[in-house]
Amino acid sequence: MDVYIPFQPSVKPLHNEKEEDYWFLFKDDKLMVYEKEGQIHIPRRKDVLKLNISIYNIQCMGSYFGYNCYCGEFVDLIEDERIGLMDLKTLSKSVEENMYFLVSKANLLLNWLKSNQYCGRCGSKMHRKDSQFERAMVCSKCNNTTWPRTSPAVIVAITKGDKLLLARNKQFPDRRYSVIAGFVEYGETFEECVKREAYEEVGIKVKNIRYFGSQPWPFPNSMMIGFTAEYLEGEIRVDGEEIVDADWFSKEEVEKMHKKSISLGSQLIEWFLKSH
Ligand SMILES: [Zn+2]
């Protein structure tokens, strides 16, 4: 078993069907989950077969540790108390990280398929490209082809000596503070985006921008690219539009405010707590 790349994307199944193949099935943007001994599981082929439901928009996602993975949708009511539906945010706290990213991938592929039923150029019906290697939708009339896309967004932990910049976004439901983030503009480098977001949102300039890590984020189809950076100059001045408050916080303060999650933002804050 190849663990160097646990998930291998593929448009067509890479292995023979197995009872344990994974099925990521959605109904109204919620995922079907299987509860066993208080634990949340992703349904396997054998669990799904028992349900006798009709599944549509089926796509092969690829292979995870040698098991085929599929995504699809269903509308049937299921009267089995072990089967439930869970939204993606709640699910992120209930399954291990690798599995959560597979769920995200399933959600992305499904939304991509549903959003590309008609050609953006001529309006004709699109169909799936028949290919082993290429996941694409092709227009039946003008041949316009579209592939799954993600929108890059940067997220950056900015430090000033032993303090971390945290900001409160207007959109955040609770009074939660987080590191700065924003979408990459067309034709912009990630580093330029880090500089621009920091300057636009809180009015400061940064230096020593360093790559930290990346994470697909399915709300709705982003790719977060994480950085660390150091304060260069300027006074904090929030834009009032997106950011309503921002400040430098000490390690002790950050520790009290921090709620751990699998998000890259949370990992950046943990990096600060460990290294400062
Ligand atoms: Zn077309």
Side-chain angles (χ1 to χ4, degrees):
M1 199 177 285
D2 184 16
V3 289
Y4 180 61
I5 301 173
F7 180 79
Q8 196 179 347
S10 177
V11 186
K12 302 230 164 132
L14 294 169
H15 319 283
N16 291 331
E17 298 287 349
K18 292 188 198 76
E19 291 279 272
E20 281 79 24
D21 285 348
Y22 292 94
W23 278 82
F24 298 87
L25 298 177
F26 290 83
K27 181 181 181 179
D28 303 329
D29 291 325
K30 288 182 176 167
L31 185 81
M32 182 199 287
V33 292
Y34 189 89
E35 276 185 71
K36 200 177 162 190
E37 289 153 12
Q39 291 272 43
I40 297 294
H41 299 275
I42 303 303
R44 304 296 188 109
R45 183 177 138 88
K46 59 177 188 226
D47 307 317
V48 174
L49 284 176
K50 277 183 214 156
L51 298 173
N52 196 22
I53 52 170
S54 4
I55 303 165
Y56 57 100
N57 283 339
I58 298 173
Q59 288 179 82
C60 173
M61 300 162 58
S63 151
Y64 182 63
F65 283 107
Y67 296 104
N68 295 319
C69 299
Y70 297 89
C71 61
E73 280 184 287
F74 69 102
V75 286
D76 310 67
L77 268 177
I78 296 169
E79 287 176 14
D80 182 330
E81 59 193 20
R82 290 163 303 176
I83 302 283
L85 290 169
M86 204 175 249
D87 69 85
L88 264 61
K89 279 193 174 148
T90 313
L91 192 77
S92 73
K93 297 169 192 120
S94 313
V95 293
E96 55 147 338
E97 204 171 321
N98 279 351
M99 201 40 79
Y100 183 68
F101 287 127
L102 286 182
V103 174
S104 309
K105 218 181 280 270
N107 185 47
L108 288 170
L109 287 176
L110 212 52
N111 284 328
W112 168 73
L113 187 75
K114 291 199 288 188
S115 312
N116 289 284
Q117 289 295 303
Y118 294 93
C119 176
R121 201 175 276 166
C122 79
S124 302
K125 186 85 180 129
M126 303 278 270
H127 62 265
R128 294 195 216 180
K129 182 167 182 168
D130 184 24
S131 163
Q132 174 79 35
F133 307 104
E134 198 183 339
R135 194 182 302 276
M137 294 293 278
V138 186
C139 174
S140 45
K141 199 169 174 190
C142 77
N143 260 338
N144 176 28
T145 307
T146 181
W147 297 269
R149 269 181 293 224
T150 52
S151 306
V154 301
I155 183 160
V156 55
I158 303 167
T159 53
K160 184 183 185 184
D162 59 359
K163 291 194 167 181
L164 176 68
L165 181 86
L166 292 177
R168 187 158 71 86
N169 194 301
K170 208 164 149 184
Q171 312 271 357
F172 292 166
D174 35 19
R175 295 179 55 83
R176 187 164 54 89
Y177 282 75
S178 179
V179 292
I180 298 278
F183 283 104
V184 178
E185 293 279 339
Y186 261 177
E188 189 176 50
T189 67
F190 296 157
E191 291 81 358
E192 283 167 344
C193 183
V194 166
K195 286 185 183 173
R196 181 181 53 76
E197 285 292 339
Y199 196 68
E200 278 178 8
E201 293 195 347
V202 289
I204 62 161
K205 294 182 178 174
V206 297
K207 60 177 182 179
N208 295 336
I209 300 166
R210 300 224 191 289
Y211 177 71
F212 177 81
S214 66
Q215 184 178 66
W217 196 242
F219 306 107
N221 63 342
S222 306
M223 170 63 75
M224 305 299 292
I225 304 109
F227 293 88
T228 62
E230 289 168 30
Y231 168 83
L232 176 63
E233 61 182 39
E235 287 296 316
I236 291 180
R237 159 187 62 71
V238 296
D239 66 5
E241 281 287 311
E242 257 187 272
I243 302 296
V244 284
D245 188 32
D247 211 341
W248 301 105
F249 294 93
S250 70
K251 187 177 166 174
E252 291 68 31
E253 289 169 315
V254 174
E255 247 161 12
K256 270 184 221 151
M257 297 156 73
H258 181 49
K259 259 197 208 156
K260 200 175 166 172
S261 78
I262 64 168
S263 74
L264 196 56
S266 171
Q267 291 174 34
L268 279 164
I269 291 175
E270 272 146 44
W271 161 83
F272 167 79
L273 292 174
K274 269 184 212 138
S275 60
H276 286 76

